[in-house]
Amino acid sequence: MIAMKNLTKAYKSMGDEVQALRGVSLNIDKGESVAVMGQSGSGKSTLLSILGGLNPPTSGSVEVDGIDVYALSQEKRADFRREYLGFVFQQFQLIPYLTALENVMLPLTTIKKSNREKREIAGSVLCRVGLAGKMNRLPNQLSGGEQERVAIARAIVNEPPVLLADEPTGSLDTKTGDEIMALFQRLNQDGLTVLMVTHNPENTRYMSRTIIMKDGQLCTDKAELLQ
Amino acid sequence: MIAMKNLTKAYKSMGDEVQALRGVSLNIDKGESVAVMGQSGSGKSTLLSILGGLNPPTSGSVEVDGIDVYALSQEKRADFRREYLGFVFQQFQLIPYLTALENVMLPLTTIKKSNREKREIAGSVLCRVGLAGKMNRLPNQLSGGEQERVAIARAIVNEPPVLLADEPTGSLDTKTGDEIMALFQRLNQDGLTVLMVTHNPENTRYMSRTIIMKDGQLCTDKAELLQ
Ligand SMILES: Nc1ncnc2c1ncn2[C@@H]1O[C@H](COP(=O)(O)OP(=O)(O)OP(=O)(O)O)[C@@H](O)[C@H]1O
Ligand SMILES: Nc1ncnc2c1ncn2[C@@H]1O[C@H](COP(=O)(O)OP(=O)(O)OP(=O)(O)O)[C@@H](O)[C@H]1O
Ligand SMILES: [Mg+2]
Ligand SMILES: [Mg+2]
């Protein structure tokens, strides 16, 4: 489903070059759920944003369902993202002047359904993440973990084939976090392919595979893997 | 050191009223380090922001070192915050157009030292949190966990007597998170009073006491406390 070949990414920052990814190759089959772990700064968010068509690699390629993501034009890449990907960002990226419900309705804009139907779909996903009474609030009227759950609802509302999630339980208490992981597991059993960055080793038991990043590369050090 | 009496907080949100805190009383002695846990939405950030002089309670009072925080004028309250508190926000709140170093220098503005001395102080704190090579970057040129560590550095740079931290290791991998907790523990041993919201039970072993919030109140349910 997803094929990454020799991905590198260098960020230029004041005359200095940061090698965020130093050659990453990885294949993910349809229906897999992969946890990505690794130290702060090891390149996890960079990997996810490249996979999500949001960040062109310095070299290497990404294919999703046979589509060479960075061979597409900017507009075609936006269409591709809308059709294939749900994305939970590390800092949520909610639109501050839209309510929770309106934020979750955003991915439904190109779908041929009535506004009322879209509100019902978005509303039911918000219920699934435990935000039933809070749909009409603005992001700054919600707690950190509530904002995170709005971001999760938005990522899954149009049932994309692939979910890319950057620490989706980082702001949640254990109980609420487990509920979200159980939800992801159910969606995965229904066919959703999941790639999820997480710092919480407890989350890996909901996933079919765990990979570890270290200094911009996939870590194949057995000792590290067993830690 | 810190005395909270009967704190309540109601947020008005479209004709609806949200009871975020329903009567919280708590005393914290100088030199204690208290972990605050509880479900998403239970009122932890609200409690911290009220304690930090940033959010007037609907009723009740907060005394820090004998000072009635909300009896002060807005300006005196700003002085009080600068002098007494280090605050790590749940969403970091870094100034986007200032570098990591400049962000960390902000609490030093009222201190009578040369600019060069202030840069050295801020620089050494950034080293302590592992960001030695990254001081001149802007926040958007840093990873999530690196931004979090800039926020932590900024909160401790002028050695305040009280540190209020809202999930300061939420975006960090286990190893980096443990380094930060060990740093807080050392600062606590040197006299820093700490109140820290955390979702990670692992962090409580670095703290002298753990309290649990539930639906806007302190939970005294033995079953919950032993979970
Ligand atoms: N400005 C606001 N207007 C209305 N309700 C609010 C506002 N800010 C917070 N709330 C509500 O107050 C309650 C407590 O929020 P708070 O941010 O203190 O929770 P929290 O314990 O920090 O949660 P989390 O673990 O998710 O960060 C929540 O139900 C939240 O929805
Ligand atoms: N725009 C940028 N300019 C310069 N360097 C950057 C930029 N964005 C990220 N970096 C650097 O690239 C490296 C990888 O960053 P990335 O955000 O992928 O890490 P991460 O594994 O997600 O970390 P975390 O767990 O802290 O979120 C880091 O060293 C970071 O400082
Ligand atoms: Mg990241
Ligand atoms: Mg909070």
mmCIF file of all heavy atoms in Angstrom, chain A residues 148-193:
data_model
loop_
_atom_site.group_PDB
_atom_site.id
_atom_site.type_symbol
_atom_site.label_atom_id
_atom_site.label_comp_id
_atom_site.label_asym_id
_atom_site.label_seq_id
_atom_site.Cartn_x
_atom_site.Cartn_y
_atom_site.Cartn_z
ATOM 1 N N GLU A 148 -7.338 17.571 21.108
ATOM 2 C CA GLU A 148 -6.676 16.460 20.433
ATOM 3 C C GLU A 148 -7.705 15.495 19.849
ATOM 4 O O GLU A 148 -7.546 14.991 18.737
ATOM 5 C CB GLU A 148 -5.767 15.727 21.427
ATOM 6 C CG GLU A 148 -5.029 14.556 20.810
ATOM 7 C CD GLU A 148 -3.713 14.275 21.498
ATOM 8 O OE1 GLU A 148 -3.724 13.990 22.710
ATOM 9 O OE2 GLU A 148 -2.672 14.341 20.811
ATOM 10 N N ARG A 149 -8.797 15.277 20.591
ATOM 11 C CA ARG A 149 -9.813 14.347 20.098
ATOM 12 C C ARG A 149 -10.600 14.920 18.924
ATOM 13 O O ARG A 149 -11.080 14.196 18.058
ATOM 14 C CB ARG A 149 -10.725 13.925 21.254
ATOM 15 C CG ARG A 149 -10.018 12.900 22.151
ATOM 16 C CD ARG A 149 -10.893 12.468 23.291
ATOM 17 N NE ARG A 149 -10.820 13.376 24.421
ATOM 18 C CZ ARG A 149 -11.755 13.460 25.361
ATOM 19 N NH1 ARG A 149 -12.838 12.711 25.286
ATOM 20 N NH2 ARG A 149 -11.603 14.296 26.377
ATOM 21 N N VAL A 150 -10.737 16.265 18.868
ATOM 22 C CA VAL A 150 -11.372 16.877 17.688
ATOM 23 C C VAL A 150 -10.481 16.618 16.471
ATOM 24 O O VAL A 150 -10.966 16.273 15.384
ATOM 25 C CB VAL A 150 -11.577 18.400 17.878
ATOM 26 C CG1 VAL A 150 -12.117 19.022 16.593
ATOM 27 C CG2 VAL A 150 -12.536 18.670 19.027
ATOM 28 N N ALA A 151 -9.163 16.750 16.658
ATOM 29 C CA ALA A 151 -8.223 16.510 15.553
ATOM 30 C C ALA A 151 -8.314 15.064 15.069
ATOM 31 O O ALA A 151 -8.243 14.787 13.871
ATOM 32 C CB ALA A 151 -6.794 16.833 16.000
ATOM 33 N N ILE A 152 -8.491 14.137 16.009
ATOM 34 C CA ILE A 152 -8.614 12.722 15.648
ATOM 35 C C ILE A 152 -9.918 12.488 14.878
ATOM 36 O O ILE A 152 -9.939 11.825 13.838
ATOM 37 C CB ILE A 152 -8.571 11.837 16.922
ATOM 38 C CG1 ILE A 152 -7.154 11.851 17.509
ATOM 39 C CG2 ILE A 152 -9.019 10.416 16.614
ATOM 40 C CD1 ILE A 152 -7.056 11.316 18.935
ATOM 41 N N ALA A 153 -11.009 13.063 15.379
ATOM 42 C CA ALA A 153 -12.305 12.908 14.702
ATOM 43 C C ALA A 153 -12.222 13.424 13.272
ATOM 44 O O ALA A 153 -12.701 12.801 12.326
ATOM 45 C CB ALA A 153 -13.393 13.663 15.479
ATOM 46 N N ARG A 154 -11.571 14.600 13.100
ATOM 47 C CA ARG A 154 -11.446 15.177 11.765
ATOM 48 C C ARG A 154 -10.666 14.252 10.833
ATOM 49 O O ARG A 154 -10.944 14.163 9.649
ATOM 50 C CB ARG A 154 -10.749 16.542 11.862
ATOM 51 C CG ARG A 154 -10.678 17.292 10.540
ATOM 52 C CD ARG A 154 -10.073 18.665 10.696
ATOM 53 N NE ARG A 154 -8.677 18.597 11.119
ATOM 54 C CZ ARG A 154 -7.911 19.651 11.341
ATOM 55 N NH1 ARG A 154 -8.411 20.857 11.183
ATOM 56 N NH2 ARG A 154 -6.668 19.525 11.719
ATOM 57 N N ALA A 155 -9.680 13.540 11.383
ATOM 58 C CA ALA A 155 -8.828 12.692 10.543
ATOM 59 C C ALA A 155 -9.554 11.432 10.059
ATOM 60 O O ALA A 155 -9.187 10.868 9.029
ATOM 61 C CB ALA A 155 -7.567 12.296 11.313
ATOM 62 N N ILE A 156 -10.569 10.983 10.796
ATOM 63 C CA ILE A 156 -11.217 9.720 10.418
ATOM 64 C C ILE A 156 -12.613 9.885 9.832
ATOM 65 O O ILE A 156 -13.213 8.922 9.366
ATOM 66 C CB ILE A 156 -11.301 8.736 11.617
ATOM 67 C CG1 ILE A 156 -12.128 9.324 12.762
ATOM 68 C CG2 ILE A 156 -9.903 8.360 12.097
ATOM 69 C CD1 ILE A 156 -12.307 8.355 13.946
ATOM 70 N N VAL A 157 -13.136 11.134 9.822
ATOM 71 C CA VAL A 157 -14.551 11.340 9.486
ATOM 72 C C VAL A 157 -14.922 10.877 8.065
ATOM 73 O O VAL A 157 -16.027 10.380 7.859
ATOM 74 C CB VAL A 157 -14.950 12.826 9.698
ATOM 75 C CG1 VAL A 157 -14.284 13.718 8.654
ATOM 76 C CG2 VAL A 157 -16.454 13.000 9.693
ATOM 77 N N ASN A 158 -14.026 11.022 7.091
ATOM 78 C CA ASN A 158 -14.429 10.584 5.743
ATOM 79 C C ASN A 158 -13.850 9.216 5.408
ATOM 80 O O ASN A 158 -13.664 8.857 4.247
ATOM 81 C CB ASN A 158 -14.067 11.625 4.674
ATOM 82 C CG ASN A 158 -12.583 11.811 4.530
ATOM 83 O OD1 ASN A 158 -11.821 11.390 5.396
ATOM 84 N ND2 ASN A 158 -12.149 12.423 3.453
ATOM 85 N N GLU A 159 -13.545 8.432 6.470
ATOM 86 C CA GLU A 159 -13.117 7.036 6.315
ATOM 87 C C GLU A 159 -12.025 6.877 5.251
ATOM 88 O O GLU A 159 -12.188 6.147 4.269
ATOM 89 C CB GLU A 159 -14.321 6.144 5.961
ATOM 90 C CG GLU A 159 -15.423 6.255 7.014
ATOM 91 C CD GLU A 159 -16.597 5.344 6.767
ATOM 92 O OE1 GLU A 159 -16.747 4.862 5.624
ATOM 93 O OE2 GLU A 159 -17.367 5.122 7.708
ATOM 94 N N PRO A 160 -10.888 7.546 5.423
ATOM 95 C CA PRO A 160 -9.809 7.434 4.436
ATOM 96 C C PRO A 160 -9.193 6.039 4.534
ATOM 97 O O PRO A 160 -9.334 5.382 5.562
ATOM 98 C CB PRO A 160 -8.808 8.489 4.902
ATOM 99 C CG PRO A 160 -9.006 8.545 6.388
ATOM 100 C CD PRO A 160 -10.478 8.318 6.617
ATOM 101 N N PRO A 161 -8.521 5.551 3.495
ATOM 102 C CA PRO A 161 -7.861 4.243 3.579
ATOM 103 C C PRO A 161 -6.613 4.250 4.468
ATOM 104 O O PRO A 161 -6.208 3.212 4.975
ATOM 105 C CB PRO A 161 -7.499 3.923 2.126
ATOM 106 C CG PRO A 161 -7.613 5.190 1.374
ATOM 107 C CD PRO A 161 -8.491 6.122 2.133
ATOM 108 N N VAL A 162 -5.980 5.433 4.634
ATOM 109 C CA VAL A 162 -4.740 5.503 5.415
ATOM 110 C C VAL A 162 -4.844 6.589 6.486
ATOM 111 O O VAL A 162 -5.255 7.716 6.201
ATOM 112 C CB VAL A 162 -3.523 5.839 4.500
ATOM 113 C CG1 VAL A 162 -2.247 5.963 5.327
ATOM 114 C CG2 VAL A 162 -3.348 4.771 3.414
ATOM 115 N N LEU A 163 -4.471 6.245 7.718
ATOM 116 C CA LEU A 163 -4.444 7.223 8.804
ATOM 117 C C LEU A 163 -2.991 7.455 9.219
ATOM 118 O O LEU A 163 -2.274 6.508 9.545
ATOM 119 C CB LEU A 163 -5.242 6.725 10.011
ATOM 120 C CG LEU A 163 -5.198 7.639 11.247
ATOM 121 C CD1 LEU A 163 -5.915 8.953 10.995
ATOM 122 C CD2 LEU A 163 -5.804 6.934 12.462
ATOM 123 N N LEU A 164 -2.553 8.723 9.157
ATOM 124 C CA LEU A 164 -1.216 9.090 9.631
ATOM 125 C C LEU A 164 -1.424 9.924 10.888
ATOM 126 O O LEU A 164 -2.065 10.974 10.837
ATOM 127 C CB LEU A 164 -0.482 9.929 8.569
ATOM 128 C CG LEU A 164 -0.306 9.251 7.207
ATOM 129 C CD1 LEU A 164 0.346 10.203 6.210
ATOM 130 C CD2 LEU A 164 0.519 7.976 7.332
ATOM 131 N N ALA A 165 -0.938 9.435 12.017
ATOM 132 C CA ALA A 165 -1.215 10.125 13.278
ATOM 133 C C ALA A 165 0.080 10.408 14.026
ATOM 134 O O ALA A 165 0.848 9.492 14.315
ATOM 135 C CB ALA A 165 -2.154 9.271 14.139
ATOM 136 N N ASP A 166 0.315 11.688 14.320
ATOM 137 C CA ASP A 166 1.542 12.095 15.019
ATOM 138 C C ASP A 166 1.234 12.296 16.496
ATOM 139 O O ASP A 166 0.758 13.346 16.909
ATOM 140 C CB ASP A 166 2.074 13.402 14.397
ATOM 141 C CG ASP A 166 3.560 13.594 14.646
ATOM 142 O OD1 ASP A 166 4.089 12.957 15.582
ATOM 143 O OD2 ASP A 166 4.190 14.375 13.908
ATOM 144 N N GLU A 167 1.496 11.281 17.284
ATOM 145 C CA GLU A 167 1.255 11.268 18.727
ATOM 146 C C GLU A 167 -0.192 11.620 19.091
ATOM 147 O O GLU A 167 -0.436 12.574 19.825
ATOM 148 C CB GLU A 167 2.229 12.217 19.423
ATOM 149 C CG GLU A 167 3.659 11.732 19.237
ATOM 150 C CD GLU A 167 4.666 12.625 19.892
ATOM 151 O OE1 GLU A 167 4.379 13.069 21.016
ATOM 152 O OE2 GLU A 167 5.710 12.889 19.282
ATOM 153 N N PRO A 168 -1.160 10.836 18.587
ATOM 154 C CA PRO A 168 -2.567 11.159 18.798
ATOM 155 C C PRO A 168 -3.050 10.994 20.242
ATOM 156 O O PRO A 168 -4.164 11.409 20.559
ATOM 157 C CB PRO A 168 -3.290 10.169 17.877
ATOM 158 C CG PRO A 168 -2.355 9.016 17.772
ATOM 159 C CD PRO A 168 -0.978 9.607 17.803
ATOM 160 N N THR A 169 -2.241 10.380 21.117
ATOM 161 C CA THR A 169 -2.707 10.268 22.508
ATOM 162 C C THR A 169 -1.787 11.043 23.443
ATOM 163 O O THR A 169 -1.870 10.893 24.663
ATOM 164 C CB THR A 169 -2.761 8.788 22.969
ATOM 165 O OG1 THR A 169 -1.449 8.238 22.919
ATOM 166 C CG2 THR A 169 -3.702 7.982 22.089
ATOM 167 N N GLY A 170 -0.927 11.898 22.879
ATOM 168 C CA GLY A 170 0.064 12.622 23.683
ATOM 169 C C GLY A 170 -0.546 13.487 24.785
ATOM 170 O O GLY A 170 0.055 13.684 25.828
ATOM 171 N N SER A 171 -1.747 14.012 24.538
ATOM 172 C CA SER A 171 -2.364 14.905 25.533
ATOM 173 C C SER A 171 -3.465 14.229 26.323
ATOM 174 O O SER A 171 -4.261 14.903 26.978
ATOM 175 C CB SER A 171 -2.956 16.136 24.830
ATOM 176 O OG SER A 171 -1.950 16.804 24.124
ATOM 177 N N LEU A 172 -3.571 12.902 26.237
ATOM 178 C CA LEU A 172 -4.693 12.211 26.877
ATOM 179 C C LEU A 172 -4.261 11.421 28.098
ATOM 180 O O LEU A 172 -3.178 10.854 28.137
ATOM 181 C CB LEU A 172 -5.357 11.253 25.880
ATOM 182 C CG LEU A 172 -5.893 11.915 24.597
ATOM 183 C CD1 LEU A 172 -6.402 10.860 23.637
ATOM 184 C CD2 LEU A 172 -6.999 12.907 24.942
ATOM 185 N N ASP A 173 -5.156 11.358 29.104
ATOM 186 C CA ASP A 173 -4.912 10.494 30.252
ATOM 187 C C ASP A 173 -4.988 9.038 29.784
ATOM 188 O O ASP A 173 -5.482 8.747 28.696
ATOM 189 C CB ASP A 173 -5.978 10.742 31.327
ATOM 190 C CG ASP A 173 -7.364 10.491 30.789
ATOM 191 O OD1 ASP A 173 -7.907 11.364 30.121
ATOM 192 O OD2 ASP A 173 -7.901 9.369 31.000
ATOM 193 N N THR A 174 -4.515 8.136 30.623
ATOM 194 C CA THR A 174 -4.401 6.730 30.228
ATOM 195 C C THR A 174 -5.732 6.151 29.772
ATOM 196 O O THR A 174 -5.817 5.502 28.720
ATOM 197 C CB THR A 174 -3.860 5.891 31.418
ATOM 198 O OG1 THR A 174 -2.812 6.616 32.047
ATOM 199 C CG2 THR A 174 -3.343 4.559 30.938
ATOM 200 N N LYS A 175 -6.783 6.408 30.533
ATOM 201 C CA LYS A 175 -8.083 5.799 30.216
ATOM 202 C C LYS A 175 -8.602 6.299 28.863
ATOM 203 O O LYS A 175 -8.957 5.514 27.985
ATOM 204 C CB LYS A 175 -9.059 6.131 31.342
ATOM 205 C CG LYS A 175 -10.486 5.622 31.115
ATOM 206 C CD LYS A 175 -11.244 5.553 32.446
ATOM 207 C CE LYS A 175 -12.695 5.135 32.255
ATOM 208 N NZ LYS A 175 -13.522 6.208 31.658
ATOM 209 N N THR A 176 -8.603 7.624 28.677
ATOM 210 C CA THR A 176 -9.084 8.178 27.412
ATOM 211 C C THR A 176 -8.176 7.735 26.258
ATOM 212 O O THR A 176 -8.646 7.418 25.161
ATOM 213 C CB THR A 176 -9.132 9.721 27.479
ATOM 214 O OG1 THR A 176 -9.800 10.102 28.686
ATOM 215 C CG2 THR A 176 -9.870 10.316 26.300
ATOM 216 N N GLY A 177 -6.868 7.689 26.515
ATOM 217 C CA GLY A 177 -5.907 7.238 25.497
ATOM 218 C C GLY A 177 -6.184 5.812 25.059
ATOM 219 O O GLY A 177 -6.160 5.496 23.864
ATOM 220 N N ASP A 178 -6.464 4.937 26.018
ATOM 221 C CA ASP A 178 -6.784 3.543 25.687
ATOM 222 C C ASP A 178 -8.056 3.446 24.850
ATOM 223 O O ASP A 178 -8.159 2.626 23.936
ATOM 224 C CB ASP A 178 -6.943 2.711 26.972
ATOM 225 C CG ASP A 178 -5.594 2.390 27.604
ATOM 226 O OD1 ASP A 178 -4.549 2.528 26.920
ATOM 227 O OD2 ASP A 178 -5.564 2.000 28.788
ATOM 228 N N GLU A 179 -9.048 4.316 25.161
ATOM 229 C CA GLU A 179 -10.289 4.304 24.365
ATOM 230 C C GLU A 179 -9.994 4.683 22.915
ATOM 231 O O GLU A 179 -10.522 4.069 21.986
ATOM 232 C CB GLU A 179 -11.313 5.276 24.972
ATOM 233 C CG GLU A 179 -11.882 4.815 26.307
ATOM 234 C CD GLU A 179 -12.630 5.919 27.057
ATOM 235 O OE1 GLU A 179 -12.805 7.024 26.485
ATOM 236 O OE2 GLU A 179 -13.008 5.672 28.214
ATOM 237 N N ILE A 180 -9.137 5.677 22.728
ATOM 238 C CA ILE A 180 -8.767 6.095 21.364
ATOM 239 C C ILE A 180 -7.994 4.975 20.651
ATOM 240 O O ILE A 180 -8.241 4.673 19.483
ATOM 241 C CB ILE A 180 -7.941 7.396 21.408
ATOM 242 C CG1 ILE A 180 -8.814 8.569 21.882
ATOM 243 C CG2 ILE A 180 -7.327 7.706 20.048
ATOM 244 C CD1 ILE A 180 -9.987 8.908 20.984
ATOM 245 N N MET A 181 -7.068 4.330 21.362
ATOM 246 C CA MET A 181 -6.297 3.230 20.750
ATOM 247 C C MET A 181 -7.227 2.082 20.364
ATOM 248 O O MET A 181 -7.055 1.454 19.319
ATOM 249 C CB MET A 181 -5.217 2.724 21.716
ATOM 250 C CG MET A 181 -4.067 3.688 21.939
ATOM 251 S SD MET A 181 -3.325 4.281 20.396
ATOM 252 C CE MET A 181 -2.735 2.734 19.687
ATOM 253 N N ALA A 182 -8.227 1.802 21.212
ATOM 254 C CA ALA A 182 -9.189 0.738 20.909
ATOM 255 C C ALA A 182 -10.012 1.113 19.666
ATOM 256 O O ALA A 182 -10.302 0.263 18.816
ATOM 257 C CB ALA A 182 -10.104 0.498 22.109
ATOM 258 N N LEU A 183 -10.361 2.395 19.550
ATOM 259 C CA LEU A 183 -11.081 2.877 18.368
ATOM 260 C C LEU A 183 -10.232 2.680 17.110
ATOM 261 O O LEU A 183 -10.705 2.160 16.095
ATOM 262 C CB LEU A 183 -11.437 4.356 18.545
ATOM 263 C CG LEU A 183 -11.973 5.116 17.321
ATOM 264 C CD1 LEU A 183 -13.280 4.515 16.825
ATOM 265 C CD2 LEU A 183 -12.188 6.593 17.666
ATOM 266 N N PHE A 184 -8.954 3.064 17.165
ATOM 267 C CA PHE A 184 -8.049 2.871 16.020
ATOM 268 C C PHE A 184 -7.953 1.390 15.672
ATOM 269 O O PHE A 184 -7.953 1.007 14.500
ATOM 270 C CB PHE A 184 -6.639 3.395 16.335
ATOM 271 C CG PHE A 184 -6.520 4.889 16.355
ATOM 272 C CD1 PHE A 184 -5.456 5.494 17.021
ATOM 273 C CD2 PHE A 184 -7.439 5.707 15.721
ATOM 274 C CE1 PHE A 184 -5.313 6.879 17.058
ATOM 275 C CE2 PHE A 184 -7.318 7.094 15.749
ATOM 276 C CZ PHE A 184 -6.261 7.684 16.419
ATOM 277 N N GLN A 185 -7.900 0.548 16.704
ATOM 278 C CA GLN A 185 -7.773 -0.892 16.464
ATOM 279 C C GLN A 185 -9.006 -1.428 15.728
ATOM 280 O O GLN A 185 -8.906 -2.217 14.795
ATOM 281 C CB GLN A 185 -7.598 -1.621 17.806
ATOM 282 C CG GLN A 185 -7.056 -3.032 17.673
ATOM 283 C CD GLN A 185 -6.772 -3.659 19.034
ATOM 284 O OE1 GLN A 185 -7.531 -3.498 19.983
ATOM 285 N NE2 GLN A 185 -5.667 -4.389 19.126
ATOM 286 N N ARG A 186 -10.204 -0.939 16.143
ATOM 287 C CA ARG A 186 -11.437 -1.363 15.463
ATOM 288 C C ARG A 186 -11.440 -0.895 14.010
ATOM 289 O O ARG A 186 -11.773 -1.648 13.102
ATOM 290 C CB ARG A 186 -12.679 -0.811 16.174
ATOM 291 C CG ARG A 186 -13.157 -1.668 17.339
ATOM 292 C CD ARG A 186 -14.582 -1.317 17.729
ATOM 293 N NE ARG A 186 -14.755 0.095 18.045
ATOM 294 C CZ ARG A 186 -14.439 0.648 19.217
ATOM 295 N NH1 ARG A 186 -13.926 -0.093 20.189
ATOM 296 N NH2 ARG A 186 -14.624 1.952 19.425
ATOM 297 N N LEU A 187 -11.045 0.369 13.793
ATOM 298 C CA LEU A 187 -11.011 0.892 12.424
ATOM 299 C C LEU A 187 -10.005 0.107 11.585
ATOM 300 O O LEU A 187 -10.224 -0.168 10.410
ATOM 301 C CB LEU A 187 -10.624 2.383 12.433
ATOM 302 C CG LEU A 187 -11.630 3.327 13.107
ATOM 303 C CD1 LEU A 187 -11.045 4.736 13.223
ATOM 304 C CD2 LEU A 187 -12.943 3.375 12.327
ATOM 305 N N ASN A 188 -8.888 -0.288 12.216
ATOM 306 C CA ASN A 188 -7.890 -1.078 11.511
ATOM 307 C C ASN A 188 -8.461 -2.436 11.118
ATOM 308 O O ASN A 188 -8.251 -2.925 10.007
ATOM 309 C CB ASN A 188 -6.637 -1.235 12.374
ATOM 310 C CG ASN A 188 -5.616 -2.193 11.786
ATOM 311 O OD1 ASN A 188 -5.345 -3.268 12.327
ATOM 312 N ND2 ASN A 188 -5.052 -1.829 10.644
ATOM 313 N N GLN A 189 -9.226 -3.040 12.037
ATOM 314 C CA GLN A 189 -9.846 -4.337 11.717
ATOM 315 C C GLN A 189 -10.850 -4.194 10.569
ATOM 316 O O GLN A 189 -11.078 -5.127 9.811
ATOM 317 C CB GLN A 189 -10.525 -4.921 12.964
ATOM 318 C CG GLN A 189 -9.513 -5.511 13.946
ATOM 319 C CD GLN A 189 -10.062 -5.585 15.381
ATOM 320 O OE1 GLN A 189 -11.222 -5.262 15.645
ATOM 321 N NE2 GLN A 189 -9.211 -6.015 16.299
ATOM 322 N N ASP A 190 -11.441 -2.999 10.420
ATOM 323 C CA ASP A 190 -12.365 -2.745 9.306
ATOM 324 C C ASP A 190 -11.631 -2.343 8.036
ATOM 325 O O ASP A 190 -12.265 -1.973 7.052
ATOM 326 C CB ASP A 190 -13.340 -1.605 9.673
ATOM 327 C CG ASP A 190 -14.254 -1.997 10.824
ATOM 328 O OD1 ASP A 190 -14.372 -3.206 11.094
ATOM 329 O OD2 ASP A 190 -14.854 -1.092 11.455
ATOM 330 N N GLY A 191 -10.279 -2.354 8.051
ATOM 331 C CA GLY A 191 -9.552 -2.104 6.806
ATOM 332 C C GLY A 191 -8.674 -0.861 6.777
ATOM 333 O O GLY A 191 -7.960 -0.633 5.798
ATOM 334 N N LEU A 192 -8.689 -0.037 7.822
ATOM 335 C CA LEU A 192 -7.873 1.185 7.827
ATOM 336 C C LEU A 192 -6.393 0.828 8.029
ATOM 337 O O LEU A 192 -6.048 0.098 8.950
ATOM 338 C CB LEU A 192 -8.340 2.098 8.967
ATOM 339 C CG LEU A 192 -7.586 3.393 9.210
ATOM 340 C CD1 LEU A 192 -7.785 4.364 8.065
ATOM 341 C CD2 LEU A 192 -8.029 4.033 10.522
ATOM 342 N N THR A 193 -5.520 1.357 7.155
ATOM 343 C CA THR A 193 -4.076 1.191 7.319
ATOM 344 C C THR A 193 -3.596 2.345 8.205
ATOM 345 O O THR A 193 -3.933 3.503 7.952
ATOM 346 C CB THR A 193 -3.365 1.250 5.938
ATOM 347 O OG1 THR A 193 -3.938 0.236 5.092
ATOM 348 C CG2 THR A 193 -1.873 1.011 6.088
#
